[in-house]
Amino acid sequence: IWQHTMKTRTNIYLRPDQVKRLKDISHKTGSSSAELVRRAVDAFLEKEAEKKKQAGRRVVGATRRP
């Protein structure tokens, strides 16, 4: 199901090899290049959030006393 969500237009600069690989994947999957970039950004942001969460757990664990 497609959901309409607000999107902000942005410009990024990619190397020619990145553009080629992105277009290749786009053609194979039927997803637009923009959608693939959004998914990649989402995956990166989730990974960063998880790293932050893990770092917080280490700090909390380090301050606990038996």
Side-chain angles (χ1 to χ4, degrees), residues 5-12 34 37-38:
T5 57
M6 290 290 288
K7 296 179 179 110
T8 301
R9 184 179 179 96
T10 188
N11 294 315
I12 59 170
V37 170
R38 283 190 293 272

Side-chain angles (χ1 to χ4, degrees), residues 10-47:
T10 188
N11 294 315
I12 59 170
Y13 292 94
L14 300 174
R15 296 184 314 265
D17 63 299
Q18 292 172 315
V19 173
K20 182 184 181 323
R21 291 170 63 192
L22 191 59
K23 284 183 180 180
D24 289 347
I25 294 169
S26 176
H27 284 90
K28 288 178 185 175
T29 64
S31 296
S32 68
S33 294
E35 178 60 25
L36 295 173
V37 170
R38 283 190 293 272
R39 290 180 193 170
V41 169
D42 283 341
F44 172 79
L45 294 174
E46 286 180 32
K47 183 178 175 183

